[in-house]
Amino acid sequence: MKELEWNLSTLITGEEEFKTKIEKIKVKQKQLEKYQNEPLTKNSLLTFLQEIEKIKEEANKILIYGSLCYYKNINDQKTNSLKTQAEEFYNEVTSKLNKLNSRILSLSEDTIKQYLEENPDLEQYKFYLNNLFRLQKHQNKDSNNQKIKENNNAINKQVTTYNSLVQNMKYKDIKENQKTIKLTPINYNKFLSSRTKEVRKKAYFSINESYKEKQEEFATILDTIYGYRIENSKLENYSSVLEKILFEENIDKSVIKTLIHSVNKNIPLIEEYFEIKKEVLKESVLNIYDLNIPLDTSLGKTYTLEESIKIIKEALQPLGKEYLKAVDFLLDGHIDAIADKNKYQALTFSWHTYSFLNFKGSYNDIKNLIHELGHIVNYYFSMQKQPFFYEDSTIFVSEITSIVNEILLNRYLLKTASSKEEKIFYLSKEIENYITTVFKQTMYTELEEKWYNTKTQESLTVKALSDTYFNMLKKYYGSNIIYEDITNIEWTRLGHLYRFCYYPYKYATGLLMASTVATSLLYNHTLTKEEYITFLSSGSSNYSLELIKILHLDFKDSNIINQGFEILKKDIEELKELIKE
């Protein structure tokens, strides 16, 4: 089969077009200035919005293209330059377009309502316009917009520095069966999950000791990024960074509080699973570096890319022919999966209809591939049905679409497993997915909140970051785990907390909701394939909490979270029974 590699020509054909598009957008932006002095009628408002939309779409392509080129080859100075140009230009465009919002807001809401009634073509922009007025109190004067743009550029530079530090990290060699092993970002996960205790222990210390050497640099980067984010939230008239993130998606703060409360209440489930793991692995105690070992004895299963795609297509059968047709389309030129030393190693992501990963043949690689497919299929369906303004789903919504795929994969593998050993492996993977996706991501959310609160009072020092992280980890993982002193610097490796803002909680809510969706599709048949495709095609055409109602989910109903934990409890009981057999 053809190797999975990007074909970015549908975005931009190359560096020459990249530069040409930038110049064309500058001209279009200049032309928009005429609307500052002309009256906005029901017809000219439509034209104005259409032109803004085109500029946003083209600027978005530039940002994506420049970034993808960089992650594809981070060692090339040219791709580094493309990424920087793309980010700075995108921030410049966003800043200028934000100024134009004030022109729309100069019309009253009653006038907009009248225009919507008189001009049916404006209907597609109704949600956009209503949301603009909802956000009105956070509209900024020009000087603030300029400062926000400068801060965003500074944040991007700090993230680039973080990426470079991680990518160029050197680790102390370890030994396995008298053979010297050179640890790299490409292979270290294999040794962190080695079945030989001494090997995984040495790998754990080698990696964390390398990060510890750079801990002051990591602390400075995080402190700087958090400082800029706090300043931006104030410039945009928010009381906190969390309020800004939640308000932009119109998500009530109670969602976070409910999640943290429910997860904290169910922490004993982690300890229950760790006790099972300790018994199966025949360990008297579990060390922190034992937690990555899969619950099998000698399965050691690997998959070729061709085998993985076949498994993925079988697993996704419950979503129907229309979904699988989209998967076939996106497998051709929209996924870059081949492991390559020039690619960024410690990152898997999707953007637009493009996915990025380094496939090495493990179970986790298949899981990552089907997860990322969920994201780009979601975008693909949305861009077929929605104007550009609404093409991109919010993370709160899109995490459901990717995690449903993970669940379908695991249920398929569990169903087709030919041995007890395999069943134990896949069932334990589903349980561990809860630990990493629900519990751990909620822990990161609590961590973020504490760090932002600290940063409002003082700098984020190595000691402050390490102490908070260590205490939070022990709260979630419990007192039956043997921790190491060096565990406290693992915050240096939490890339999402550098690159994004209040992102992790959406993984947790995503899995809890996705569990209910998968059960509704597979077993209860209370959700149809057609309804699911409608959801995938909705983009951000409404607020997140409204869109999930298409899936018969209402986050105000605490049963959504409870149902997710009931599935986890059932999995743990099923695992216990399997082990007894």
Side-chain angles (χ1 to χ4, degrees):
M1 63 172 291
K2 193 159 48 174
E3 301 282 23
L4 293 188
E5 192 168 5
W6 281 330
N7 173 13
L8 299 180
S9 61
T10 53
L11 273 176
I12 291 175
T13 55
E15 194 174 349
E16 186 176 336
E17 189 185 2
F18 177 86
K19 292 176 181 175
T20 302
K21 276 186 179 292
I22 287 176
E23 294 308 313
K24 284 182 177 178
I25 291 171
K26 286 178 180 177
V27 172
K28 286 181 180 178
Q29 278 195 299
K30 187 72 177 171
Q31 291 169 347
L32 280 181
E33 290 177 8
K34 66 182 180 183
Y35 289 99
Q36 295 284 25
N37 302 313
E38 291 180 5
L40 279 177
T41 66
K42 63 184 179 185
N43 293 323
S44 63
L45 175 61
L46 176 64
T47 306
F48 185 42
L49 288 168
Q50 288 170 335
E51 290 179 10
I52 287 174
E53 188 172 36
K54 286 175 187 173
I55 289 171
K56 281 183 178 251
E57 185 170 9
E58 291 302 303
N60 192 52
K61 285 181 181 178
I62 286 166
L63 176 63
I64 295 168
Y65 179 81
S67 300
L68 296 188
C69 287
Y70 163 76
Y71 286 111
K72 175 78 171 166
N73 188 357
I74 63 167
N75 298 313
D76 189 328
Q77 190 58 44
K78 186 183 288 185
T79 63
N80 275 265
S81 174
L82 276 179
K83 179 173 179 284
T84 301
Q85 286 179 65
E87 287 174 342
E88 290 183 353
F89 180 69
Y90 184 81
N91 286 335
E92 178 74 26
V93 170
T94 301
S95 180
K96 286 182 177 178
L97 291 181
N98 283 343
K99 293 177 187 177
L100 292 174
N101 286 340
S102 60
R103 183 69 190 94
I104 298 172
L105 292 170
S106 67
L107 302 170
S108 68
E109 287 187 73
D110 286 340
T111 301
I112 293 292
K113 186 178 178 181
Q114 180 186 336
Y115 285 177
L116 286 165
E117 289 172 354
E118 293 174 352
N119 188 350
D121 291 336
L122 274 172
E123 182 65 26
Q124 64 179 314
Y125 298 111
K126 182 177 180 179
F127 177 69
Y128 176 83
L129 290 166
N130 288 342
N131 193 48
L132 201 59
F133 278 95
R134 186 182 70 86
L135 296 167
Q136 185 171 15
K137 65 179 179 179
H138 303 289
Q139 181 69 22
N140 287 290
K141 55 186 180 183
D142 289 353
S143 58
N144 282 2
N145 278 329
Q146 178 62 26
K147 181 59 180 167
I148 290 166
K149 182 191 78 174
E150 291 169 3
N151 287 351
N152 285 336
N153 285 335
I155 288 170
N156 287 334
K157 286 177 182 176
Q158 291 293 322
V159 171
T160 298
T161 302
Y162 174 81
N163 288 341
S164 179
L165 275 173
V166 171
Q167 186 65 22
N168 295 312
M169 194 71 67
K170 304 298 181 188
Y171 309 111
K172 181 182 175 183
D173 293 348
I174 64 170
K175 284 196 176 289
E176 183 182 42
N177 299 325
Q178 305 304 311
K179 182 182 176 183
T180 299
I181 303 293
K182 186 174 183 62
L183 291 178
T184 68
I186 295 177
N187 72 6
Y188 71 56
N189 279 325
K190 172 185 173 184
F191 298 101
L192 284 173
S193 57
S194 169
R195 304 213 71 80
T196 305
K197 193 177 186 84
E198 195 58 29
V199 171
R200 61 180 178 265
K201 178 180 178 180
K202 286 178 179 177
Y204 179 84
F205 274 92
S206 173
I207 291 159
N208 282 332
E209 283 167 358
S210 294
Y211 273 84
K212 187 172 184 178
E213 288 175 10
K214 306 280 187 182
Q215 62 184 341
E216 292 291 346
E217 291 175 70
F218 286 120
T220 299
I221 291 169
L222 201 59
D223 180 68
T224 304
I225 289 173
Y226 276 39
Y228 283 131
R229 286 178 183 161
I230 290 168
E231 184 178 11
N232 279 357
S233 68
K234 289 177 180 175
L235 288 170
E236 294 177 69
N237 305 311
Y238 293 101
S239 62
S240 67
V241 175
L242 179 59
E243 185 196 20
K244 168 181 159 64
I245 297 299
L246 293 177
F247 190 82
E248 285 174 350
E249 287 192 41
N250 202 24
I251 291 175
D252 193 271
K253 195 173 182 179
S254 64
V255 169
I256 297 277
K257 288 182 178 177
T258 301
L259 174 69
I260 291 173
H261 174 74
S262 298
V263 169
N264 280 202
K265 193 170 66 174
N266 284 281
I267 281 174
L269 291 172
I270 300 181
E271 296 182 1
E272 186 178 356
Y273 175 69
F274 285 166
E275 284 301 306
I276 297 170
K277 192 162 197 171
K278 186 171 70 174
E279 178 188 341
V280 173
L281 297 174
K282 295 180 172 57
E283 296 279 353
S284 56
V285 294
L286 282 180
N287 293 81
I288 189 71
Y289 47 78
D290 294 328
L291 302 182
N292 286 325
I293 318 170
L295 270 199
D296 67 308
T297 52
S298 59
L299 198 58
K301 203 163 186 179
T302 58
Y303 310 81
T304 65
L305 195 50
E306 190 169 5
E307 287 169 338
S308 301
I309 290 171
K310 186 177 178 182
I311 289 169
I312 284 170
K313 287 183 178 180
E314 288 296 324
L316 295 175
Q317 288 290 331
L319 300 183
K321 290 180 181 178
E322 191 176 358
Y323 192 97
L324 289 166
K325 187 178 178 182
V327 168
D328 283 334
F329 174 80
L330 293 166
L331 284 170
D332 186 10
H334 288 259
I335 300 172
D336 208 285
I338 307 304
D340 183 336
K341 65 181 181 180
N342 290 319
K343 290 167 69 174
Y344 192 88
Q345 299 300 321
L347 195 60
T348 297
F349 67 89
S350 291
W351 201 345
H352 196 269
T353 56
Y354 296 90
S355 292
F356 177 91
L357 62 153
N358 284 276
F359 185 91
K360 299 185 266 303
S362 70
Y363 165 86
N364 282 338
D365 290 320
I366 301 185
K367 190 182 86 164
N368 286 340
L369 180 52
I370 202 168
H371 178 104
E372 298 307 329
L373 267 168
H375 282 307
I376 61 176
V377 170
N378 179 199
Y379 199 101
Y380 175 76
F381 278 124
S382 290
M383 71 187 294
Q384 309 302 315
K385 299 288 185 182
Q386 304 296 336
F388 176 75
F389 277 150
Y390 312 139
E391 270 185 13
D392 200 3
S393 298
T394 63
I395 297 165
F396 187 89
V397 163
S398 68
E399 282 308 317
I400 300 172
T401 69
S402 56
I403 298 173
V404 162
N405 281 12
E406 283 186 34
I407 294 169
L408 292 177
L409 171 68
N410 226 58
R411 301 278 171 89
Y412 170 77
L413 291 171
L414 188 57
K415 182 182 175 182
T416 57
S418 57
S419 67
K420 171 185 170 180
E421 189 178 50
E422 273 191 274
K423 288 178 181 177
I424 288 173
F425 175 77
Y426 295 127
L427 195 54
S428 68
K429 283 297 184 183
E430 184 156 295
I431 294 168
E432 290 187 5
N433 204 23
Y434 267 88
I435 293 172
T436 56
T437 307
V438 176
F439 291 99
K440 215 168 181 183
Q441 303 304 324
T442 304
M443 181 186 84
Y444 295 155
T445 302
E446 284 202 68
L447 202 58
E448 272 190 281
E449 197 155 21
K450 286 184 180 295
W451 283 348
Y452 277 114
N453 288 338
T454 299
K455 179 57 185 171
T456 59
Q457 306 295 324
E458 58 191 71
S459 296
L460 292 172
T461 63
V462 167
K463 185 177 187 317
L465 293 164
S466 298
D467 288 351
T468 310
Y469 175 80
F470 208 14
N471 290 334
M472 193 68 72
L473 187 67
K474 286 187 281 188
K475 169 186 167 183
Y476 273 77
Y477 279 13
S479 57
N480 294 330
I481 300 295
I482 304 298
Y483 301 93
E484 303 293 340
D485 290 341
I486 204 165
T487 299
N488 69 359
I489 59 87
E490 286 178 356
W491 56 267
T492 56
R493 294 164 55 195
L494 304 181
H496 274 100
L497 303 191
Y498 292 78
R499 299 183 190 103
F500 308 109
C501 192
Y502 283 106
Y503 187 106
Y505 89 88
K506 296 164 188 175
Y507 282 125
T509 56
L511 189 144
L512 291 166
M513 289 187 284
S515 294
T516 301
V517 170
T519 300
S520 299
L521 280 165
L522 287 174
Y523 308 120
N524 299 340
H525 305 296
T526 51
L527 179 69
T528 67
K529 291 177 240 184
E530 291 74 22
E531 286 173 321
Y532 190 61
I533 296 295
T534 297
F535 172 72
L536 294 175
S537 306
S538 299
S540 55
S541 59
N542 206 335
Y543 297 118
S544 301
L545 295 180
E546 290 301 311
L547 289 174
I548 64 172
K549 289 178 181 177
I550 299 171
L551 303 173
H552 313 306
L553 299 174
D554 185 350
F555 216 90
K556 292 175 184 175
D557 180 0
S558 60
N559 283 329
I560 290 178
I561 292 180
N562 294 335
Q563 285 168 17
F565 284 114
E566 286 304 315
I567 292 169
L568 173 59
K569 289 173 187 176
K570 181 176 172 290
D571 284 347
I572 290 174
E573 290 306 312
E574 190 177 340
L575 180 62
K576 285 179 181 176
E577 291 301 315
L578 263 175
I579 291 167
K580 284 179 188 176
E581 290 178 8

